[in-house]
Amino acid sequence: MRIRVEVPDDSLFGLDNLPYGVFAPPGGDFRVGVRVDERVLDLATMLGDPVLARGELNAFLAAGPGKWREVRERAQTLLAGEVVDTALYPIEQVRMALPVRIGDYVDFYASIDHATNLGKLLRPGSDPLLPNWRHLPVGYHGRAGTVVVSGTEIVRPRGQHRATGTDSPTFSPTERLDIEAELGFVIGTGSALGSPLGTADFADHVFGVALVNDWSARDIQAWEYQPLGPFLGKSFATSISAWVTPLEALAAARIPLPPQYPEPLSYLREHDDWGLDIDLCVQWNSQVVSRPPYSRMYWSPAQMLAHLTANGASVRTGDLYASGTVSGPEPDERGSFIELTWGGAEPITVLDSERTFLVDGDAVTITASAPGPGGGRVGLGEVHGSIMPALRNW
């Protein structure tokens, strides 16, 4: 039977959006689908394309921008008419998988408000921004093997950390478990080793965006990060949304970057506007505690990609790089709890309880939306995780 798909006018997942994910219907294998309102369209069935019948997006992404446009246009045409009812599933009936096989994961530090807040917390009395910050997108290489799909439970990590006022560290569960609300960028087509990409190459190599929560153990991080930066305080888990929103769906969200001073070096100069007007929302145990604005990010994703490959490093299909914490200038726009509670010194009330960092049983959900065509909005899905107790007592 063929049916017409009715999408409410106010849906965040209409035909102008159509994010991609990897799903399994009841009793079936994982395959590629697009989300339309509260349903999933089985692209492998509708288009008869074996590339879309796989349990990851990588083969589809590697086919390049021409293929991306073709599949998107065919899906929009089908959904504007009628589709086979057996190819359409209610979203609550399917299982979602990590959408891409991730080879490398890099995390940046691109929000000037976040960097300023952390500088004030960690280096009081000095310039919050280190001398290099306005000259390049600062980043670190994360651990791809611990990137997990939204809904995966997060086990509280153990590690070395030193309590305030003590000289020696202990090895125990983190006491300052935190979040970082971020936007991630998924590489579609790779680049050759030794061949840097420029900012103008961004749309030819990046397929789309996914919400990211880069979980952070702040006490472990504080003890270990000098002199080489984040390591075990970050690498235990990074959650991403099950849905990857194609760049084409964000065309109406593109805006100029805020002013950059001093002017970046030539390889970082923008040829197009790749600032993005995206509004994030952070819920702590279902209570909204922050609304970070991505529009204030200092460095664009095109500049991050150019810097990531500036030394000749290659990127590969499925690689992920993230923006770093998205924060704004106001207290209720901070995208991490270390900022929101000012290092734990200013607790906030969450469901009638004063809180600083995450406790076992807590849950965090990050959502986002952006302007769409004709004055509507497009949604970026959600990234959700709940905290489980540490597993082992050393």
Side-chain angles (χ1 to χ4, degrees):
M1 182 183 297
R2 302 186 72 87
I3 60 172
R4 181 171 294 276
V5 180
E6 302 292 341
V7 181
D9 292 339
D10 60 352
S11 174
L12 295 176
F13 299 96
L15 271 60
D16 293 318
N17 190 349
L18 299 186
Y20 290 79
V22 172
F23 79 102
D29 297 326
F30 283 101
R31 77 283 304 270
V32 176
V34 291
R35 178 173 178 177
V36 54
D37 196 32
E38 297 304 313
R39 287 162 287 185
V40 182
L41 179 67
D42 182 347
L43 288 180
T45 296
M46 287 303 303
L47 302 184
D49 189 336
V51 168
L52 302 171
R54 306 184 184 186
E56 57 189 31
L57 284 168
N58 293 60
F60 168 60
L61 301 185
K67 180 74 168 183
W68 308 342
R69 286 190 294 271
E70 174 200 343
V71 170
R72 178 174 169 81
E73 289 170 3
R74 291 179 67 189
Q76 288 175 322
T77 299
L78 285 169
L79 288 164
E82 294 182 335
V83 300
V84 178
D85 61 347
T86 55
L88 202 61
Y89 298 91
I91 200 166
E92 69 272 10
Q93 292 182 8
V94 304
R95 293 178 294 137
M96 302 301 299
L98 191 69
V100 293
R101 184 180 71 256
I102 299 170
D104 281 304
Y105 165 54
V106 172
D107 198 26
F108 283 95
Y109 190 47
S111 165
I112 194 167
D113 297 300
H114 174 66
T116 299
N117 285 337
L118 283 197
K120 290 177 178 177
L121 282 167
L122 301 177
R123 297 181 299 276
S126 62
D127 189 338
L129 298 180
L130 293 174
N132 65 345
W133 198 91
R134 288 182 180 270
H135 292 273
L136 55 84
V138 174
Y140 73 92
H141 201 285
R143 185 172 294 177
T146 54
V147 178
V148 296
V149 71
S150 174
T152 304
E153 294 176 333
I154 306 302
V155 176
R156 180 177 297 274
R158 296 177 180 271
Q160 281 197 33
H161 50 99
R162 188 176 66 178
T164 302
T166 63
D167 295 326
S168 300
T170 59
F171 187 90
S172 59
T174 177
E175 297 175 356
R176 294 168 68 89
L177 185 56
D178 198 358
I179 68 153
E180 292 191 343
E182 307 190 16
L183 197 62
F185 301 89
V186 177
I187 297 294
T189 57
S191 62
L193 185 65
S195 298
L197 299 175
T199 57
D201 298 317
F202 174 72
D204 290 330
H205 290 270
V206 172
F207 171 74
V209 305
L211 288 176
V212 170
N213 184 349
D214 194 33
W215 305 91
S216 301
R218 297 299 185 185
D219 41 7
I220 297 173
Q221 180 184 356
W223 174 240
E224 74 181 1
Y225 84 101
Q226 298 187 49
L228 292 180
F231 187 41
L232 299 183
K234 294 278 195 176
S235 64
F236 59 95
T238 300
S239 298
I240 69 167
S241 56
W243 300 104
V244 181
T245 304
L247 289 184
E248 193 171 348
L250 297 174
R254 290 175 57 177
I255 56 175
L257 283 178
Q260 293 181 322
Y261 180 82
E263 183 180 23
L265 297 178
S266 59
Y267 79 100
L268 288 172
R269 291 174 193 162
E270 290 271 38
H271 299 272
D272 300 293
D273 289 334
W274 277 113
L276 293 169
D277 182 13
I278 297 175
D279 296 328
L280 282 71
C281 176
V282 179
Q283 297 179 62
W284 190 346
N285 293 342
S286 302
Q287 176 180 315
V288 174
V289 294
S290 179
R291 296 186 182 273
Y294 193 87
S295 59
R296 285 186 54 86
M297 297 298 276
Y298 188 88
W299 296 105
S300 79
Q303 290 173 318
M304 295 179 219
L305 180 64
H307 189 64
L308 174 61
T309 62
N311 64 349
S314 62
V315 290
R316 297 173 292 176
T317 296
D319 284 357
L320 173 71
Y321 67 93
S323 62
T325 303
V326 182
S327 288
E330 302 301 324
D332 62 354
E333 296 176 332
R334 298 167 181 169
S336 65
F337 296 160
I338 191 173
E339 295 172 87
L340 200 62
T341 67
W342 208 246
E346 300 174 7
I348 64 171
T349 301
V350 178
L351 302 183
D352 300 323
S353 175
E354 280 203 340
R355 308 300 290 277
T356 53
F357 294 95
L358 292 162
V359 302
D360 295 345
D362 278 355
V364 175
T365 301
I366 302 169
T367 56
S369 68
R377 306 283 295 179
V378 296
L380 277 70
E382 69 173 34
V383 58
H384 173 86
S386 54
I387 306 304
M388 303 297 290
L391 289 180
R392 183 174 179 181
N393 186 16
W394 290 81

